[in-house]
Amino acid sequence: MRGDANSSKGERPYFFLSYAHTPKNSFSDADPNTWVKKLYDGLCADIMQMTSLRPGAKAGFLDQGMAVGAKWTDELSENLARCQVFVPLYSPRYFLSEQCGREWWAFSQRQINHRAHHGENGEGGIIPALWVPVEPAQLPRAAQDLQFNHADFGNDYAAEGFYGLTKLNYLKYDYQKAVYRLAQRIVRAAQTTQLEEGQVYKQYESLPSAFGSGGHAAEFDISVLACSRTSLPNGRVPDYYGETPQDWNPYHPVSTRPLSEHAADLIRTMNYRVSIGDFESDADQLLSQESPRAPGLVLLDRWALDTPRGQELMRRLCDRKRPWISVMVPQYTGDILPHERERQLQQLTEHILAPRRHENAGHRSPRDGIRSLDAFGADLQKAVGMSVAHYETHARTYPPEGPPVQRPRLGGPAYPG
């Protein structure tokens, strides 16, 4: 286990407690969120005992001032960018909250970027806690994927959650045990993961929710059109490639993972099921559909356009007007080419993607490509948003099953004959 996470990076909050604010039933009622504050204070006290935090340092962050519908604050965003562990407090109300979904999404971007730069980490930075038990069917995909065993904190905790343990006096010992074990888990995750600080988001309303939005498509397709190590053009270095096109890693050595896997993780945080495929193999199916099966994205390696087959596939995509399939063209700033070769690739790419300059033709990357992994994440949000918008416009709708029902007609009052 590494040393105290706060000692080497400056004192940062160990955890961010994310919860859905419960509104009062009437103005005269006591604050129903008082019990959440009690849990937060207990966690902070235990973490102070378990670590070398100096007196007065913040062990965690709890937003006590944000009422339902209030605006995102700088303090909240900064603590979300700096905290080492994210603790979502599960309740049925939590997964209906856009605020909580955006907090989860913002933290998850830090986890995914850490994984891209440093590889997998064992513990993970999201440690869920039960406020009120939630049925598995109510959990969004982000929560289902955690596979967290709440019984590790005690069987009564798993059955009742922190709120139940607080309200039932005979379970006072079980409450204290669960708080202590959660604090232990937070400290261990902070020490083993050590996430870098993330982006401070100013425009809260522009962030997606990790819980998705009502009625959006359930699936998202990623296709890769790239070279492999066995199909490289003359003069292309193999450092960015693997055995298959899906292994393409254009941001090597900054990133340790294939770009398709990194993109899939980012899109999953928007509550989609994601499939990854080879565009050369999938093109006939994707391009033959007049209405989309799902929104999609093509990750394009410019060097794949150095072959007639690569040019043909991209021309088909652009000419057949499939705007629900976005196109992204990474061009890592560290991948330096001879000037003439760079000019040829740039001209070829612009010529083939020219139909995508038109309005409603579908998303494509800026002319000079996507130069960094961080820029890729920012452009991916735009690409996914446009894919989904075009998908919703072009998707086929299906009437409900069963015989058609006649529309009711309004008539005058009926009088007996």
Side-chain angles (χ1 to χ4, degrees), residues 180-292:
Y180 184 79
R181 289 185 175 173
L182 177 56
Q184 283 182 314
R185 196 70 173 263
I186 290 170
V187 171
R188 188 172 75 217
Q191 292 174 337
T192 57
T193 305
Q194 297 197 4
L195 291 179
E196 291 89 355
E197 294 189 20
Q199 181 178 348
V200 176
Y201 295 99
K202 298 294 186 182
Q203 298 297 324
Y204 157 68
E205 292 80 6
S206 68
L207 302 184
S209 167
F211 311 150
S213 57
H216 79 39
E219 299 184 14
F220 198 98
D221 294 332
I222 296 176
S223 294
V224 184
L225 182 58
C227 302
S228 66
R229 288 203 171 193
T230 58
S231 63
L232 292 177
N234 290 333
R236 184 56 171 153
V237 296
D239 302 9
Y240 306 98
Y241 300 94
E243 296 302 315
T244 70
Q246 292 94 315
D247 295 325
W248 179 44
N249 180 12
Y251 297 109
H252 168 83
V254 172
S255 173
T256 64
R257 308 178 69 214
L259 187 62
S260 59
E261 294 180 7
H262 180 66
D265 280 350
L266 290 171
I267 296 171
R268 288 188 186 105
T269 66
M270 304 177 201
N271 203 33
Y272 291 97
R273 288 193 303 271
V274 181
S275 62
I276 302 174
D278 177 353
F279 187 65
E280 185 168 4
S281 302
D282 300 340
D284 289 341
Q285 178 183 359
L286 292 172
L287 300 180
S288 64
Q289 299 168 345
E290 292 302 321
S291 60

Side-chain angles (χ1 to χ4, degrees), residues 262-417:
H262 180 66
D265 280 350
L266 290 171
I267 296 171
R268 288 188 186 105
T269 66
M270 304 177 201
N271 203 33
Y272 291 97
R273 288 193 303 271
V274 181
S275 62
I276 302 174
D278 177 353
F279 187 65
E280 185 168 4
S281 302
D282 300 340
D284 289 341
Q285 178 183 359
L286 292 172
L287 300 180
S288 64
Q289 299 168 345
E290 292 302 321
S291 60
R293 184 195 71 84
L297 166 68
V298 172
L299 300 176
L300 174 62
D301 172 17
R302 295 183 303 160
W303 287 88
L305 300 179
D306 209 43
T307 67
R309 177 61 172 161
Q311 294 178 27
E312 175 207 350
L313 290 171
M314 285 310 300
R315 283 197 174 100
R316 286 172 60 193
L317 172 61
C318 294
D319 292 344
R320 294 195 181 186
K321 296 183 175 62
R322 299 294 187 264
W324 55 85
I325 302 176
S326 292
V327 177
M328 298 181 69
V329 190
Q331 290 176 238
Y332 176 42
T333 188
D335 184 10
I336 301 173
L337 306 179
H339 177 74
E340 182 59 25
R341 196 68 175 102
E342 173 65 38
R343 186 186 65 79
Q344 291 172 353
L345 282 175
Q346 188 71 20
Q347 288 183 348
L348 178 60
T349 304
E350 285 302 313
H351 176 69
I352 291 176
L353 295 182
R356 290 232 157 192
R357 296 176 189 162
H358 302 304
E359 188 176 359
N360 296 324
H363 177 84
R364 57 150 295 181
S365 300
R367 285 178 57 92
D368 59 348
I370 309 168
R371 296 294 185 170
S372 70
L373 198 63
D374 289 342
F376 177 84
D379 194 58
L380 182 71
Q381 290 184 50
K382 301 175 186 176
V384 171
M386 291 190 68
S387 292
V388 171
H390 286 297
Y391 167 81
E392 291 172 349
T393 299
H394 293 86
R396 182 179 301 169
T397 57
Y398 296 92
E401 296 182 0
V405 178
Q406 294 292 330
R407 294 178 60 184
R409 298 192 176 200
L410 297 178
Y415 295 97

